[in-house]
Amino acid sequence: MLLHAAVPVLAPWTHLFDHLIYGEADGPAAGCVNNRDPDSQSSLANHHDYQRTNAAPGEIADRFRNADPAKGIGYPMFTLERLFDTAELMRNAAFDPYNYRGEHHQSIEMATEYYACFAWGAGFYQPVTAENSSSCPNAAQYYGRLVNGVDRMLLIGAERFSGNAALTGLEVSAREAASTGAFSTDAILFGKWRD
């Protein structure tokens, strides 16, 4: 009798999706928040990760890694970029991930729009402050963090969600910001800009 090693079964995309983007009435699971500092500014000064216990619809669950200014939004944008990459592959295979809604009504569009708020307030590659972004839901999670990587996600977001003014209104400045840098020629997202 020939025995075969077990083949691991990966979680389906929909299951993973529901855990990557916070939706309505959603937030970190109990016990997942273990802060050493009382707020995001203190954690930044001490180079510690920090996560508020509440979350806004559209926030990416990877928001706690923010021990320096580039990571607080940079890590969520890396996760959002992987969602866009996967969505592009699925779209090419005749699936419709851009209209998919998760268990708590979350979507790729919701996540892109959430981080667009900081681009409107602080500007690309600028620090988030109470003065420039307090109108963004759960902004205190990101005080002192740079709005990095949002420009590229806004460009694909404007392409895929062309009726969303929160995304298309930033398109010109996002194009300028995204035209240079280490990730300006991402193999999957390159050229997915509206002209």
Side-chain angles (χ1 to χ4, degrees):
M1 174 181 208
L2 182 62
L3 296 176
H4 295 282
V7 176
V9 177
L10 300 175
W13 183 81
T14 54
H15 181 72
L16 177 64
F17 186 91
D18 283 337
H19 291 86
L20 289 177
I21 301 174
Y22 292 119
E24 296 171 6
D26 206 359
C32 287
V33 176
N34 186 20
N35 296 319
R36 293 169 32 185
D37 298 296
D39 57 48
S40 64
Q41 291 288 59
S42 300
S43 71
L44 186 60
N46 293 313
H47 305 285
H48 295 151
D49 293 337
Y50 175 80
Q51 181 169 203
R52 297 188 73 204
T53 55
N54 63 320
E59 278 188 89
I60 301 288
D62 208 9
R63 68 198 182 128
F64 62 91
R65 296 198 269 186
N66 53 16
D68 70 56
K71 293 180 180 174
I73 293 177
Y75 270 101
M77 289 304 93
F78 181 80
T79 300
L80 183 58
E81 183 174 16
R82 299 294 74 79
L83 286 170
F84 271 119
D85 287 347
T86 304
E88 283 298 295
L89 294 171
M90 292 170 68
R91 189 181 67 82
N92 289 337
F95 292 98
D96 189 13
Y98 289 114
N99 285 315
Y100 177 76
R101 298 296 178 263
E103 201 172 281
H104 299 128
H105 308 287
Q106 66 269 50
S107 67
I108 294 173
E109 181 177 12
M110 176 192 283
T112 310
E113 186 173 345
Y114 176 79
Y115 291 97
C117 184
F118 296 107
W120 280 107
F124 298 114
Y125 300 93
Q126 298 302 311
V128 174
T129 67
E131 294 75 29
N132 65 30
S133 298
S134 63
S135 64
C136 299
N138 203 24
Q141 170 71 38
Y142 303 98
Y143 290 160
R145 280 45 178 204
L146 298 177
V147 183
N148 60 334
V150 176
D151 49 321
R152 294 175 48 252
M153 298 307 99
L154 280 171
L155 290 172
I156 183 69
E159 168 73 17
R160 295 295 172 231
F161 310 109
S162 59
N164 188 326
L167 306 181
T168 59
L170 287 164
E171 199 168 6
V172 171
S173 56
R175 186 178 294 124
E176 183 178 323
S179 294
T180 61
F183 301 105
S184 61
T185 57
D186 175 271
I188 294 177
L189 300 182
F190 182 73
K192 299 283 192 318
W193 300 0
R194 296 187 322 153
D195 291 323

